[in-house]
């Protein structure tokens, strides 16, 4: 590796995923200082985090800031800047970047591009069609339900829609409504100008994460399951994710190997034949169906809240992995820098504002976090609290809720009953009126309606 001396790192993004990344980055002896863009209050309390932050997240703004602060490595959390090609601008200015180029990021930026790539790479995915117009989409809907009246149809906006652009339509009426919402009412703006209509798959969902160095090097990280529905027992609206567990249930070493060979390696090869410069994490969203594993989607970044369950299991230093990815050469990674994983499982539960993912209030006071941090640091459960959307009231010093998914609490244990018990005790110490979490993720009794601390 070129950078053995500690160096400055810029992390783009400031949600729960980035808080989990930041905590791992600052724990590295290779990190001299960490800059975060945009800078939220919770990050300021972390050792090594600097008070300067780029004023604009534009390519020019980031390049200028990186030069000014002597940043050696820029790490991207969210997909939007990658899809917009910001990584390309930084690389053109000879700054090392963790995150794919604009072409590689199309895997997440366009569902039709992703499906075409999967097909070209021979990757197993749901049968699909692209509709470029309302008429075309309505025609597909009609034909589908005429041929298979009982088979739901999955309707996806082609572009980025903050995780809300997917509808599983059970009936022709639902499918037509979804198509009209996207293409006639333009509920998702330009993202809905093109639709992907696909076969509905059934089974258990799981996600897999691997680092790609862009030159054929693949470093598998691990599997995670997340719970997307807002309500107890997987009911209600889809969210960004209400909890996560790593490794994903039933995902053993043989299945991990199969995932790498069937979903990671062929896509890596395809991307390289297309001339993409994919140096970052590839997140494969999969369904374990009766016919085997099928690809649901690729994301070009770490998951949120998957990262909150994956990273506590990484016992070794994250920064050499990010750096080798950005340098485009895993062969420079010395044996002692290879990832070492905790054999325990890590469970994460998101504490959200009541109303999320619809309307919710901001500003509620959250107590108990300092006590929790002090109490749990010594505890075997390795409890971690991630700030996803908080701010600090400067007059009182209190933490205030400042978003929908506000905190994520994680714990490690040898088995599921133990990790649930540890996590439940921890979450109960979070004092915040107006919050809720998926109580079923930490309890065997799922009769509760998911409200807590209210
Ligand atoms: P995506 O953004 O494509 O991952 O879709 C979001 C969620 O919609 C996934 O996590 C699944 O729960 C669901 N989903 C997407 N595609 C399908 C499909 N073909 N069959 C069943 N469920 C799907
Ligand atoms: N939790 C799902 C995602 O990050 O896309």
């Amino acid at each position: 590796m070129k950078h053995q001396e500690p160096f400055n790192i810029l992390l783009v993004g400031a949600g729960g995923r980035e808080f989990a990344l930041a905590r791992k980055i600052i724990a590295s002896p290779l990190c001299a200082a960490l800059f975060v863009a945009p800078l939220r209050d919770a990050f300021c309390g972390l050792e090594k985090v600097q008070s300067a932050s780029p004023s604009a997240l534009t390519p020019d703004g980031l390049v200028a800031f990186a030069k000014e602060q002597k940043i050696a490595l820029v790490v991207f959390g969210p997909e939007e800047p990658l899809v917009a090609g910001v990584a390309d601008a930084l690389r053109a200015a000879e700054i090392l970047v963790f995150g794919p180029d604009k072409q590689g990021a199309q895997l997440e930026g366009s569902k039709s591009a992703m499906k075409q790539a999967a097909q070209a790479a021979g990757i197993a995915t749901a049968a699909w069609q692209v509709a470029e117009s309302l008429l075309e989409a309505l025609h597909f809907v009609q034909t589908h339900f005429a041929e298979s009246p009982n088979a739901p149809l999955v309707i996806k906006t082609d572009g980025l829609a903050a995780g809300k652009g997917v509808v599983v339509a059970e009936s022709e009426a639902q499918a037509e409504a979804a198509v009209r919402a996207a293409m006639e009412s333009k509920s998702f703006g330009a993202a809905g100008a093109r639709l992907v209509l696909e076969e509905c798959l059934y089974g258990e969902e799981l996600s897999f994460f691997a680092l790609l160095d862009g030159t054929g090097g693949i470093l598998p990280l691990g599997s995670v399951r997340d719970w997307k529905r807002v309500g107890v027992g997987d009911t209600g609206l889809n969210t960004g994710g209400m909890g996560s567990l790593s490794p994903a249930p039933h995902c053993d070493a043989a299945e991990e190997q199969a995932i790498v060979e069937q979903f990671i390696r062929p896509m890596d090869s395809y991307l390289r034949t297309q001339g993409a410069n994919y140096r970052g994490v590839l997140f494969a969203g999969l369904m374990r169906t009766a016919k085997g594993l099928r690809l649901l989607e690729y994301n070009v970044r770490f998951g949120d809240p998957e990262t909150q369950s994956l990273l506590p299991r990484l016992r070794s230093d994250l920064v050499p992995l990010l750096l080798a990815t950005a340098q485009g050469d895993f062969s420079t990674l010395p044996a002692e820098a290879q990832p070492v994983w905790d054999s325990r499982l890590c469970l994460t539960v998101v504490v959200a504002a009541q109303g999320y993912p619809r309307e919710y209030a901001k500003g509620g006071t959250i107590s108990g976090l300092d006590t929790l941090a002090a109490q749990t640091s010594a505890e075997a459960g390795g409890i971690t609290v991630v700030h996803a959307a908080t701010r600090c009231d400067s007059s009182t010093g209190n933490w205030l809720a400042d978003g929908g998914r506000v905190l994520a609490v994680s714990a490690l244990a040898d088995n599921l009953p133990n990790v649930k018990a540890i996590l439940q005790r921890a979450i109960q110490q979070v004092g915040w009126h107006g919050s809720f979490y998926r109580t079923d993720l930490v309890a065997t009794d799922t009769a509760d309606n998911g409200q807590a601390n209210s």
Side-chain angles (χ1 to χ4, degrees):
M1 283 190 291
K2 285 179 203 137
H3 289 277
Q4 293 300 346
E5 291 297 309
F7 51 89
N8 293 349
I9 300 174
L10 170 63
L11 176 63
V12 178
R17 162 185 50 211
E18 289 79 16
F19 196 87
L21 281 164
R23 212 163 26 204
K24 254 329 250 183
I25 290 172
I26 59 170
S28 170
L30 286 174
C31 173
L34 179 67
F35 296 83
V36 184
L39 185 60
R40 292 183 90 138
D41 294 340
F43 288 81
C44 299
L46 297 176
E47 194 198 343
K48 298 187 189 174
V49 170
Q50 306 295 299
S51 57
S53 183
S55 51
L57 300 186
T58 56
D60 287 350
L62 288 176
V63 169
F65 183 83
K67 295 210 156 149
E68 199 179 291
Q69 301 292 345
K70 303 194 167 34
I71 308 271
L73 173 67
V74 180
V75 179
F76 282 91
E79 66 280 10
E80 292 90 349
L82 297 168
V83 172
V86 179
D88 308 46
L90 287 160
R91 282 201 186 97
E94 299 192 342
I95 296 160
L96 288 172
V97 180
F98 179 90
D101 68 349
K102 187 174 182 174
Q103 190 186 344
Q106 279 302 298
L107 276 188
E108 184 164 358
S110 163
K111 296 227 186 262
S112 58
M114 183 279 277
K115 295 295 275 193
Q116 273 154 15
Q119 191 171 41
I123 290 166
T125 181
W128 60 288
Q129 285 170 310
V130 177
E132 304 275 356
S133 70
L134 179 64
L135 272 183
E136 200 179 2
L138 291 175
H139 175 70
F140 286 148
V141 167
Q142 242 177 19
T143 317
H144 171 84
F145 284 98
E147 285 171 4
S148 333
N150 299 319
L153 184 63
V154 184
I155 296 163
K156 302 183 171 182
T157 61
D158 188 55
L160 292 179
K164 295 182 183 134
V166 177
V167 173
V168 179
E170 307 274 346
S171 66
E172 185 168 349
Q174 274 179 16
E176 186 178 328
V179 162
R180 287 193 186 277
M183 290 189 134
E184 213 169 45
S185 318
K186 303 195 176 9
S187 314
F188 301 101
R194 186 184 293 138
L195 298 179
V196 169
L197 307 177
E198 68 179 42
E199 168 199 14
C200 187
L201 301 174
Y202 296 93
E204 194 174 13
E205 279 187 54
L206 70 155
S207 304
F208 192 82
F209 296 83
L211 301 179
L212 307 185
D213 71 4
T215 56
I218 295 175
L219 199 73
L221 294 179
S223 68
V224 190
R225 126 143 240 206
D226 87 327
W227 285 270
K228 289 207 174 64
R229 307 290 283 273
V230 72
V232 162
D234 277 331
T235 54
L237 294 174
N238 258 328
T239 69
M242 295 301 295
S244 58
L245 175 67
S246 182
H250 318 301
C251 188
D252 57 14
E255 188 172 69
E256 287 198 358
Q257 185 63 35
I259 292 171
V260 170
E261 296 312 324
Q262 293 168 28
F263 299 95
I264 304 292
R265 197 178 303 284
M267 184 46 66
D268 174 63
S269 306
Y270 175 77
L271 288 166
R272 285 182 295 113
T273 60
Q274 296 302 297
N277 189 10
Y278 200 113
R279 300 183 186 187
V281 61
L282 183 60
F283 165 163
L286 305 166
M287 182 93 80
R288 199 184 287 117
T289 74
K291 292 183 188 156
L293 290 166
R294 295 285 181 276
L295 177 78
L296 288 176
E297 61 165 348
Y298 286 114
N299 292 315
V300 300
R301 45 153 181 98
F302 283 107
D304 190 343
E306 287 89 338
T307 309
Q308 289 86 317
S309 285
L310 187 66
L311 290 186
R313 293 185 46 241
L314 180 61
R315 294 171 65 168
S316 52
D317 193 344
L318 175 66
V319 172
L321 309 183
L322 300 175
L323 183 63
T325 305
Q327 287 173 331
D329 191 0
F330 288 149
S331 67
T332 59
L333 206 56
E336 64 276 13
Q338 295 292 330
V340 177
W341 296 97
D342 198 312
S343 61
R344 291 175 295 175
L345 41 86
C346 183
L347 179 66
T348 299
V349 169
V350 168
V351 185
Q354 277 174 18
Y356 172 81
R358 290 212 172 97
E359 297 289 295
Y360 54 82
K362 285 187 182 177
T365 303
I366 307 167
S367 62
L369 297 185
D370 295 341
T371 331
L372 187 57
Q375 279 178 4
T376 54
S377 53
E379 205 180 291
I383 292 165
T384 50
V385 179
V386 150
H387 288 246
T390 59
R391 69 185 173 83
C392 188
D393 182 337
S394 52
S395 55
T396 61
N398 287 334
W399 288 110
L400 306 177
D402 199 32
R405 292 190 295 168
V406 173
L407 301 169
V409 188
S410 310
L412 288 155
D414 288 331
N415 60 53
L416 205 50
N418 286 350
V419 78
K420 284 182 172 184
I422 294 168
L423 203 49
Q424 188 171 45
R425 282 199 300 275
I427 296 175
Q428 280 165 354
Q429 295 182 55
V430 178
W432 168 21
H433 296 282
S435 66
F436 77 99
Y437 64 93
R438 284 274 305 260
T439 50
D440 59 330
L441 302 185
V442 288
T444 43
D445 171 18
T446 54
D448 195 303
N449 67 357
Q451 306 295 307
N453 304 320
S454 54

